[in-house]
Amino acid sequence: MLDDADRKIIARLQADARTPMAELGQAAGLSASAAHDRVRRLTERGVIRGMTLRADPAAIGRGVLGFVFVALGGPAVEAAFVETLRADPAVLECHHVTGDWSYLLKVRVADIAGLEALLGRLKATGALVRSHSMIALSSPKDDGAPSPFPDMPLSDLPPEVTP
Amino acid sequence: MLDDADRKIIARLQADARTPMAELGQAAGLSASAAHDRVRRLTERGVIRGMTLRADPAAIGRGVLGFVFVALGGPAVEAAFVETLRADPAVLECHHVTGDWSYLLKVRVADIAGLEALLGRLKATGALVRSHSMIALSSPKDDGAPSPFPDMPLSDLPPEVTP
DNA sequence: ATTGAAATCTCCAGCGT
DNA sequence: ACGCTGGAGATTTCAAT
């Protein structure tokens, strides 16, 4: 279980993964070393999975965002299909979902031709029976704020970046 | 435009946002200060949008992942609806998509009751005409690897974390 | 968890392409 | 513009308590 200090530290690092340990400690009522210890232990426990950079998708050659529903032939081909997805850098996410489809994929490609190429790769596995693609025209909300804590008091949230 | 050094730096920071400048420089064939300059300029240009922590969703009280399609009443209520979504921490993403629905939402909640509560909040706006929810049973691939560069040589990729 | 100290890193000059 | 070297100050990280 996470205690209050853990939550405050995690909330800070979600807002800025390079926040100094001293500042994390201050937010949690701890010394810099204690904050550092918390981060190390949370990482060991797997609560913290890593720190990553958020980049402008268009600038890194992935300006088109799409969602692809797929239906597969059967359990026999499923494992191989998932392995193909895992290895394909255009596929960001793959979720086994309830409903009419086997998987929902979140994909990022450079352009529409890239989406067609990706669908070709999926078909080439032989596992794909049917698919349905949707393109995101715009994204009013995106990966900006990664799942914060439910019901955390505003006073505990990191200070807003005021542009 | 990004040059080769920019791409190598960004790839490194995607793997670990706390990589020291000296190491970034080494990967890109630059000094630590030059790497620092690159990061500063990429951030100013908006290519780098920030550094964030990836946490275990279950550990932070968001163990249930869902996707919600919504159809709205019309353009008049759309803006207010989007504002509600933006303010709701359970809504991670909101995409305007092609097809039969207005928006596709990616949501994270603690449990099924949390999903019901979220749908209640969406209905309460008065803008929602119809919705269709799907729950992710499992996620063979998730936010682990954020959109890497297309066609980057393996030799330029950051060293794998070998557990 | 804390303090203190050492090792490391950031980040600013100053200067040269 | 873009890079390098050097160094002061901040930060991380390891002891010892």
Side-chain angles (χ1 to χ4, degrees):
Chain A
M1 275 291 93
L2 302 183
D3 68 9
D4 212 51
D6 290 328
R7 277 189 285 271
K8 285 172 181 168
I9 287 171
I10 289 172
R12 282 282 171 143
L13 288 174
Q14 280 184 335
D16 180 4
R18 299 201 82 141
T19 306
M21 294 298 163
E23 214 171 303
L24 297 181
Q26 195 154 38
L30 296 169
S31 68
S33 320
H36 178 262
D37 257 30
R38 295 279 190 141
V39 171
R40 186 182 49 71
R41 263 180 281 139
L42 288 168
T43 305
E44 277 170 1
R45 285 168 54 190
V47 174
I48 293 177
R49 294 191 169 165
M51 320 265 194
T52 188
L53 173 145
R54 290 187 299 110
D56 174 17
I60 63 175
R62 302 205 173 273
V64 170
L65 170 64
F67 293 91
V68 182
F69 286 100
V70 298
L72 300 186
V77 288
E78 200 157 319
F81 185 78
V82 167
E83 270 323 295
T84 305
L85 295 179
R86 280 161 120 17
D88 197 312
V91 179
L92 297 190
E93 303 175 23
C94 168
H95 307 284
H96 189 196
V97 287
T98 59
D100 296 335
W101 300 91
S102 303
Y103 291 102
L104 170 59
L105 313 183
K106 181 182 176 184
V107 305
R108 275 200 191 276
V109 289
D111 46 35
I112 301 297
L115 182 57
E116 188 170 18
L118 170 59
L119 291 172
R121 271 174 269 150
L122 298 181
K123 270 185 201 148
T125 62
L128 194 151
V129 168
R130 213 154 56 92
S131 78
H132 180 76
S133 301
M134 297 166 31
I135 293 173
L137 304 168
S138 64
S139 299
K141 190 170 186 178
D142 208 351
D143 315 83
S147 35
F149 290 94
D151 313 320
M152 178 173 267
L154 286 176
S155 56
D156 288 348
L157 288 176
E160 296 292 314
V161 187
T162 50
Chain B
M1 276 293 92
L2 301 183
D3 68 9
D4 212 50
D6 291 328
R7 277 188 285 270
K8 286 172 182 169
I9 287 171
I10 289 172
R12 282 283 172 143
L13 288 174
Q14 280 184 335
D16 180 5
R18 297 198 85 137
T19 305
M21 294 298 163
E23 213 171 304
L24 295 181
Q26 194 153 39
L30 296 169
S31 69
S33 0
H36 178 262
D37 256 30
R38 294 280 189 142
V39 171
R40 187 184 48 72
R41 266 179 279 140
L42 287 168
T43 304
E44 275 169 2
R45 286 168 55 192
V47 174
I48 293 176
R49 295 191 167 165
M51 321 267 193
T52 188
L53 173 144
R54 290 186 299 110
D56 173 18
I60 63 175
R62 301 206 173 273
V64 171
L65 170 63
F67 292 91
V68 182
F69 287 99
V70 298
L72 301 186
V77 289
E78 199 158 320
F81 185 78
V82 166
E83 270 323 295
T84 306
L85 295 179
R86 280 161 119 19
D88 197 313
V91 179
L92 297 189
E93 304 176 22
C94 167
H95 307 284
H96 191 196
V97 287
T98 58
D100 296 336
W101 300 91
S102 302
Y103 291 102
L104 169 58
L105 314 183
K106 180 181 176 183
V107 306
R108 275 199 191 278
V109 288
D111 45 35
I112 300 296
L115 182 57
E116 188 169 19
L118 170 59
L119 291 172
R121 271 173 270 150
L122 298 181
K123 270 186 200 146
T125 62
L128 194 150
V129 168
R130 214 154 56 92
S131 78
H132 179 76
S133 302
M134 295 165 32
I135 294 172
L137 304 169
S138 64
S139 299
K141 190 170 185 177
D142 208 351
D143 315 84
S147 34
F149 290 95
D151 313 320
M152 177 173 270
L154 286 177
S155 56
D156 289 349
L157 289 175
E160 296 292 314
V161 187
T162 49

